[in-house]
């Protein structure tokens, strides 16, 4: 099972579970997103996560042209595999990816798809 621990300006707000049947899991400012982050530093459609059942992992995709999606302080320009402890920066929000280690895939040589 995977989840995000959501922080805003270093204050923990809540935890949100990522369920495989919710894929794609959309993140942004619009109310239609799966995870709504109501701040002007977040794009209306900022990022999307997709579960890959074959590889048993979550992939993060940047959707924003104006606000970068960062994972572990690196700007993402192509799909990236998420691993336990990774931190996504979405505007002023920090989302820490937490995954049950028994269900998590082994880290491959490259994070990019």
């Amino acid at each position: 099972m995977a989840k995000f621990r959501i922080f805003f300006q270093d204050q923990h707000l809540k935890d949100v579970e990522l369920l495989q049947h919710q894929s794609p899991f959309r993140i942004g400012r619009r109310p239609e997103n799966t995870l709504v982050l109501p701040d002007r530093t977040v794009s209306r459609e900022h990022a999307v996560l997709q579960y890959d059942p074959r590889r048993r992992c979550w992939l993060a995709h940047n959707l924003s042209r104006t606000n970068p999606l960062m994972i572990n302080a690196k700007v993402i320009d192509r799909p990236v595999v998420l691993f336990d402890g990774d931190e996504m920066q979405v505007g002023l929000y920090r989302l820490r990816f937490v995954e049950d280690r028994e269900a998590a895939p082994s880290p491959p040589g490259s994070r990019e798809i």
Side-chain angles (χ1 to χ4, degrees), residues 6-32:
I6 302 173
F7 298 86
F8 184 76
Q9 298 178 341
D10 292 327
Q11 180 180 349
H12 178 248
L13 298 179
K14 64 180 176 178
D15 291 352
V16 174
E17 286 188 31
L18 295 170
L19 303 174
Q20 295 171 12
H21 71 273
Q22 287 180 312
S23 181
F25 187 94
R26 297 188 175 279
I27 300 170
R29 207 172 62 231
R30 292 179 62 180
E32 296 83 17

Side-chain angles (χ1 to χ4, degrees), residues 101-112:
R101 294 199 184 270
E102 291 180 18
S106 299
S110 173
R111 300 175 68 93
E112 296 178 351

Side-chain angles (χ1 to χ4, degrees), residues 39-109:
D39 188 80
R40 301 292 289 166
T41 62
V42 177
S43 295
R44 287 173 283 191
E45 294 178 345
H46 204 106
V48 65
L49 304 179
Q50 291 181 302
Y51 185 75
D52 181 341
R54 183 179 57 81
R55 295 175 59 195
R56 294 178 33 218
C57 64
W58 285 92
L59 303 170
H61 304 260
N62 181 29
L63 298 179
S64 177
R65 293 184 194 155
T66 56
N67 299 316
L69 172 64
M70 299 181 71
I71 298 180
N72 300 328
K74 180 182 174 189
V75 175
I76 300 307
D77 60 358
R78 60 184 60 150
V80 172
V81 176
L82 292 176
F83 295 106
D84 184 54
D86 282 349
E87 290 198 359
M88 287 178 46
Q89 189 75 37
V90 180
L92 295 176
Y93 291 87
R94 189 168 39 93
L95 288 68
R96 183 176 302 139
F97 185 72
V98 180
E99 189 167 33
D100 179 0
R101 294 199 184 270
E102 291 180 18
S106 299

